[in-house]
Amino acid sequence: MSDFKVNHREGAGIHVIELKGYLDAHTATDLESAFQRLINDQKFRIVVNCRDLTYISSAGLGVFMAYIEDVRKNQGDIKLTNMSSKVYNVFDLLGFPILYEIYKDEQEAIRKFGESSTGR
Amino acid sequence: MSRFPRSITTTVRSSTDHLREVRHFVEAAARQFGFVDEDVSNIVLAVDEACTNIIKHAYGGSSTGEIRVTVIREGTSFEVQIHDQGRPFDPESIHPPNLKQHLSEYRRGGLGVYLMRRLMDQVEFSIHPGRPNEVRLVKYLGSPSAHTGT
């Protein structure tokens, strides 16, 4: 039984990745695969909905670090949404809000993509 | 008489699929000791980071090693001792990262020890030839939690 699930859906050119459960050094590869698939398919406008993400360790945060450069080089972005305060605290301790746009809800992040004319 | 044993131990294989088991073990002990949710989360994360480092660096990703996790509860002190028999890990090589630079270079990894120090009141590494490597993580009941602004 997996402690972690990644769901992917797409609407209007925005790709939403929903995370559920525990993202640690064991499950980080599942998220890596999801990002890798999107990048291989030239999909660079990505929203990560963390509503059901219960837990994250630095190994999980490292996955975001691994792909952000590729995504931005291609005029895209990874925007994060719907974090619990527990998960946000870990991002915050490591200074991630400097580098990533973090929104309260998914629609807000999608709107932000709409405001920029670049990306795919 | 104490409500719980002063010292409890679990031993797991050096594989990331055992991280969940270690987290559950430490979480239960921390809750029983009386920590609030935020402190429990911080302790669990610090122990996860320590064990992940051991799996990746001390055992180089091999799952044949052992990690022994001992919780010692005394007074207001909640101490987690983590022992392994892998390659010695030089704590002197771990400097607090310059987070802004680290992030601006999109560097991945290397943040575990930094997190452990932010989340716990004390973090110590003991490396002695012929003895297991030891990481000691201590949190005191009632000490401030690591969060924004502190």
Side-chain angles (χ1 to χ4, degrees), chain B residues 53-54 57-60 84-93 125-134:
Chain B
N53 273 347
I54 289 168
H57 302 300
Y59 288 117
D84 71 81
Q85 306 270 1
R87 281 195 299 270
F89 176 69
D90 178 11
E92 297 302 320
S93 69
F125 298 87
S126 300
I127 310 293
H128 299 289
R131 283 166 48 188
N133 305 317
E134 180 185 84

Side-chain angles (χ1 to χ4, degrees), chain A residues 10 12 19 36-37 39 51 63:
Chain A
E10 191 259 338
L19 307 183
Q36 198 58 62
R37 274 195 299 275
I39 288 167
R51 189 185 57 216
V63 180

Side-chain angles (χ1 to χ4, degrees), chain B:
Chain B
M1 202 172 103
S2 179
R3 293 164 290 148
F4 40 73
R6 175 182 170 273
S7 171
I8 50 173
T9 297
T10 189
T11 303
V12 297
R13 286 272 165 211
S14 57
S15 164
T16 54
D17 59 2
H18 290 293
L19 288 171
R20 174 174 60 173
E21 187 181 334
V22 172
R23 288 197 300 264
H24 287 175
F25 172 76
V26 173
E27 178 176 351
R31 286 202 187 287
Q32 196 178 38
F33 195 54
F35 282 115
V36 297
D37 286 349
E38 188 177 1
D39 288 334
V40 172
S41 298
N42 289 347
I43 293 165
V44 167
L45 178 56
V47 172
D48 178 320
E49 298 291 343
C51 291
T52 298
N53 273 347
I54 289 168
I55 293 164
K56 284 186 177 173
H57 302 300
Y59 288 117
S62 163
S63 60
T64 57
E66 280 192 343
I67 301 174
R68 194 172 80 241
V69 180
T70 302
V71 172
I72 299 166
R73 296 169 287 192
E74 199 156 42
T76 60
S77 165
F78 185 90
E79 177 174 331
V80 185
Q81 296 181 355
I82 306 169
H83 294 95
D84 71 81
Q85 306 270 1
R87 281 195 299 270
F89 176 69
D90 178 11
E92 297 302 320
S93 69
I94 305 299
H95 301 291
N98 177 331
L99 278 184
K100 207 166 179 180
Q101 187 184 349
H102 198 98
L103 293 173
S104 68
E105 293 168 357
Y106 300 111
R107 280 160 62 188
R108 182 180 183 176
L111 296 170
V113 173
Y114 172 81
L115 258 186
M116 286 154 60
R117 292 195 195 282
R118 286 295 307 269
L119 297 168
M120 301 298 285
D121 294 325
Q122 283 176 33
V123 176
E124 290 174 14
F125 298 87
S126 300
I127 310 293
H128 299 289
R131 283 166 48 188
N133 305 317
E134 180 185 84
V135 184
R136 283 180 66 245
L137 304 167
V138 183
K139 185 89 179 165
Y140 296 102
L141 210 51
S143 67
S145 291
H147 54 72
T148 311
T150 57

